[in-house]
Amino acid sequence: MLEVKNLRKEYAGLTAVQGISFNLHPGDIFGFIGSNGAGKTTTIRMIATLLEPTAGTAILNGADIRRDTMEVRRMIGYMPDFFGLYDDVKVWEYLDFFAAIYRVPTKQRGEVIDSVLELTNLTIKKDAFVQSLSRGMQQRLCLARCLVHDPTLLLLDEPASGLDPRARAELKELIAELGRMGKIVIVSSHILPELADFCNTVGIIERGELLAFGPVSKIVTEMQPHRVLAVQVLGAAADFVGPIADMPNVLSAVAVGEGDLRVEFSGDLEAQADFLAKLVGKGMRVATFREDSADLEDVFLKLTTGALN
Amino acid sequence: MIKEKWLDLVIQNPMLIEITRFRRRYTSASATSSMNGVVVLLCIICYATLLLVVIQNRTSISPIVMIFAQTAFLTVLAPMLLYGSISGERERRSWDLLLVAPITKPQIVVGKFMGAMAALGVAVILFQVPIEIAATSYDRSHWQSVLVADLVSVTFLMCVCALTILFSARVKRSLMALGATLGSLVTILIVFPALVGLGQSGPATDAAFFLHPFVVLSRIGDRDDAISRNGAGTVGPGTSQPDFPSNVPAPWWGWPQTLTYLGLTIVLLAWASNTLNFAENEVKFLPQGHKDA
């Protein structure tokens, strides 16, 4: 379990992270969302023991990032937003090097390297030089490096940046598989659709402040507690605003176009069906009727202002 | 305790991959190392020429002169091998991956040092061929002197390697490390002696150059000459040192410097190790414009 407690980072005259707290459990895939410069990388680097927090701490399975640095390092796999590879070694040598650093027993290293290469689909590149790999393969090699010591926590900073759609899809599947393996995965990104697909928990950060945290559906519900219905009618929408506003469960009704209405509705699905029937019963010629459900992007845009540190 | 340290830093040090990387850099046919390949080819041509010259003039070339040449050549080569050892990792951003790994600072420094020493070791072994040819043919050479001179040379090179790693650990850019190392060596080996030489001349200056490797090698050669002319007991302790052009006794040239260079190497490596910061102080090393800088 990872407990982040009031983690704060100040540089000279600048507060990069303003005391954020959250907890993650095995199997959680946590999407860390924020604009460039919001504080995602700083937070990840603090958890990775690369930066010393100004205040607060994070505890991974009982090991404190400030006090038990080496123990924490043995439990984390960190993939930065750059490759940082050694070009002049072969793929298996690169992994063997990190396996040695993480004290994987010599006799087990071959087996471990084979299994992480298989997991990242790089087995055929085992004897290739790192510099000969494509960008997507290098990204997967970075992930393989993170896995050689079977870490508890994976910190992936912008893992899909610069990848083509196929490589992104493969990476998403791989991360989802790691979650199913019971690892805690923290993925940072500013590309929201990338995260919404496979993260079961998200956190939205802006100017170093954690604005929202929790499952995607919960955050969306919190941000938009009522249903929003988009109704398209034949005729002038403005003429229908008054009658609709008087109907049960309707919180507000606004004409947003020639024949388009936006209705905020507090009822359940059954009430929603009744509402449609009443509209038709009142002689309105309804062309389309749908629930306009919010997604992560809407929530993000609603919560954040785009301001940078 | 010592055995554990030895295993940790030398036998089981994962940074020994540096030896493989050095080998690859200078023997691989890949595109990035093609320039290194050209350098290696030039070195082989120079080496073959040197070998031919020594074979043809073997009775007139002192082995000490060859060790002198070895020291001069490798003193320039060592910084070239190591200037990016740590600053290069920072520039490549692979440094972060080492920082988050459970590896100790001494392991990193010693691993880098041993990688360079392995590369220099090959060069030293190659130099031994002309040195041994000269030593067996030159009538005024003595095996003990050749051995001591070689030790002086090798330990001085270790010191140069440690100095380069120290600079590489302390600066932001690799080229700054190279410039600082070469600048320091030029100051220590050329500018300082030239300045001292302007004020004083003759054997009296020897005391000031007690640790200057080329002065040490010269004195070992002079000692050989003196022994050849006057006999083995003439330059030892308590003798009048006829024909020995130094105010520092002859036995003081060789072993004391070797031990001093070894000690200095350890100090410089420890200093380099202490320079490495595993937390936010690294920020100051990040290139300007980086988002964490």
Side-chain angles (χ1 to χ4, degrees):
Chain A
M1 183 182 173
L2 174 70
E3 298 166 78
V4 177
K5 296 177 177 176
N6 197 28
L7 206 55
R8 183 181 181 87
K9 180 69 190 174
E10 288 172 12
Y11 295 112
L14 170 79
T15 305
V17 177
Q18 304 188 32
I20 65 172
S21 304
F22 57 85
N23 290 344
L24 294 172
H25 300 91
D28 278 351
I29 301 177
F30 173 57
F32 210 14
I33 303 168
S35 313
N36 290 330
K40 304 185 298 288
T41 298
T42 304
T43 306
I44 286 181
R45 286 168 70 85
M46 280 192 283
I47 298 172
T49 73
L50 271 172
L51 290 176
E52 193 175 3
T54 309
T57 190
I59 296 169
L60 177 62
N61 288 349
D64 191 311
I65 59 165
R66 304 181 76 138
R67 285 199 317 267
D68 317 306
T69 310
M70 280 294 177
E71 201 180 333
V72 170
R73 285 176 182 165
R74 283 189 196 98
M75 288 192 281
I76 60 171
Y78 171 60
M79 182 169 155
D81 55 346
F82 48 85
F83 294 143
L85 296 167
Y86 297 129
D87 291 343
D88 43 13
V89 294
K90 292 181 177 178
V91 166
W92 76 265
E93 286 173 337
Y94 181 71
L95 294 175
D96 188 66
F97 168 56
F98 279 96
I101 285 181
Y102 283 98
R103 299 192 183 280
V104 176
T106 316
K107 286 179 183 172
Q108 289 174 21
R109 274 186 219 156
E111 199 181 319
V112 166
I113 289 168
D114 287 344
S115 65
V116 295
L117 286 175
E118 194 181 333
L119 186 69
T120 51
N121 203 15
L122 281 173
T123 305
I124 57 166
K125 293 291 179 182
K126 184 177 176 180
D127 289 311
F129 277 98
V130 169
Q131 63 188 1
S132 72
L133 302 182
S134 68
R135 190 179 171 85
M137 286 177 180
Q138 289 192 349
Q139 195 80 318
R140 293 211 299 270
L141 177 60
C142 283
L143 193 53
R145 172 187 55 74
C146 294
L147 296 171
V148 287
H149 58 295
D150 193 21
T152 308
L153 170 66
L154 276 165
L155 298 163
L156 313 179
D157 196 0
E158 305 279 359
S161 60
L163 295 186
D164 61 40
R166 175 172 291 279
R168 275 173 192 247
E170 286 172 358
L171 190 70
K172 277 184 198 174
E173 181 47 43
L174 190 54
I175 293 170
E177 176 63 25
L178 293 169
R180 287 192 288 272
M181 287 163 72
K183 299 190 185 305
I184 303 171
V185 186
I186 296 182
V187 192
S188 86
S189 181
H190 55 269
I191 305 169
L192 301 177
E194 197 174 82
L195 295 173
D197 291 352
F198 62 92
C199 291
N200 49 28
T201 311
V202 292
I204 297 175
I205 186 171
E206 186 179 52
R207 300 183 76 170
E209 196 178 345
L210 195 61
L211 303 176
F213 173 82
V216 179
S217 56
K218 185 177 159 232
I219 290 180
V220 169
T221 310
E222 277 174 3
M223 286 307 298
Q224 188 175 294
H226 310 299
R227 292 168 195 275
V228 174
L229 303 174
V231 184
Q232 191 183 24
V233 294
L234 298 181
D239 296 344
F240 302 110
V241 170
I244 290 175
D246 292 337
M247 287 183 181
N249 297 317
V250 172
L251 301 171
S252 68
V254 185
V256 290
E258 177 62 31
D260 294 316
L261 289 149
R262 190 172 181 276
V263 180
E264 233 180 302
F265 191 76
S266 62
D268 57 12
L269 280 175
E270 202 151 315
Q272 193 174 311
D274 293 342
F275 174 61
L276 175 59
K278 280 177 186 164
L279 289 180
V280 176
K282 282 184 182 272
M284 291 180 203
R285 299 179 68 196
V286 179
T288 61
F289 182 91
R290 64 183 166 78
E291 184 181 338
D292 210 358
S293 55
D295 58 15
L296 201 52
E297 196 158 353
D298 296 322
V299 172
F300 178 72
L301 292 173
K302 208 173 222 178
L303 277 174
T304 60
T305 61
L308 297 177
N309 262 323
Chain B
M1 178 70 178
I2 291 173
K3 191 185 172 188
E4 272 177 28
K5 280 274 175 215
W6 174 256
L7 286 174
D8 202 41
L9 292 177
V10 182
I11 307 293
Q12 293 170 357
N13 187 346
M15 287 304 292
L16 293 183
I17 193 174
E18 290 294 317
I19 295 173
T20 306
R21 291 183 63 204
F22 270 111
R23 181 171 57 78
R24 286 272 162 66
R25 208 173 297 165
Y26 293 96
T27 57
S28 162
S30 64
T32 52
S33 50
S34 56
M35 186 54 79
N36 291 336
V38 171
V39 173
V40 170
L41 190 67
L42 281 173
C43 287
I44 290 170
I45 292 169
C46 292
Y47 178 71
T49 309
L50 176 75
L51 215 52
L52 283 173
V53 169
V54 172
I55 290 169
Q56 281 190 333
N57 305 285
R58 58 189 175 277
T59 54
S60 55
I61 294 181
S62 163
I64 302 296
V65 171
M66 293 311 306
I67 293 171
F68 204 95
Q70 166 187 282
T71 311
F73 175 70
L74 296 184
T75 297
V76 177
L77 183 67
M80 302 284 186
L81 290 175
L82 274 167
Y83 70 96
S85 58
I86 290 170
S87 52
E89 297 257 14
R90 286 198 189 100
E91 286 173 335
R92 204 184 306 120
R93 305 298 311 271
S94 49
W95 187 237
D96 281 16
L97 307 181
L98 290 180
L99 293 186
V100 296
I103 185 168
T104 61
K105 294 182 278 184
Q107 277 181 316
I108 294 174
V109 170
V110 171
K112 297 278 181 191
F113 176 74
M114 287 178 67
M117 287 316 295
L120 286 178
V122 173
V124 168
I125 289 168
L126 288 174
F127 260 104
Q128 293 314 298
V129 178
I131 290 170
E132 298 314 313
I133 290 171
T136 49
S137 311
Y138 187 66
D139 57 356
R140 278 177 287 166
S141 77
H142 298 88
W143 284 104
Q144 191 191 358
S145 299
V146 172
L147 176 68
V148 171
D150 229 358
L151 281 173
V152 167
S153 173
V154 169
T155 49
F156 175 70
L157 291 170
M158 289 167 72
C159 222
V160 172
C161 286
L163 182 73
T164 313
I165 290 176
L166 173 65
F167 278 121
S168 192
R170 290 190 72 90
V171 301
K172 195 180 275 188
R173 301 276 183 201
S174 297
L175 284 176
M176 283 167 69
L178 181 63
T181 310
L182 291 178
S184 303
L185 288 172
V186 167
T187 305
I188 294 166
L189 299 178
I190 299 171
V191 177
F192 175 67
L195 290 175
V196 172
L198 285 176
Q200 289 177 301
S201 61
T205 57
D206 272 11
F209 299 138
F210 187 63
L211 291 177
H212 193 296
F214 298 108
V215 173
V216 178
L217 291 174
S218 296
R219 293 297 164 255
I220 292 172
D222 293 339
R223 187 171 63 198
D224 269 4
D225 288 347
I227 290 171
S228 298
R229 279 194 295 271
N230 306 304
T234 56
V235 291
T239 65
S240 57
Q241 300 189 85
D243 296 334
F244 187 63
S246 172
N247 58 342
V248 177
W252 284 66
W253 297 102
W255 287 107
Q257 286 82 5
T258 300
L259 295 173
T260 308
Y261 291 150
L262 273 177
L264 207 52
T265 301
I266 293 167
V267 169
L268 290 172
L269 288 178
W271 190 359
S273 172
N274 279 335
T275 296
L276 304 181
N277 293 292
F278 273 66
E280 68 195 277
N281 287 344
E282 281 302 316
V283 172
K284 74 184 178 198
F285 290 115
L286 292 176
Q288 278 184 351
H290 186 273
K291 61 186 177 183
D292 290 330

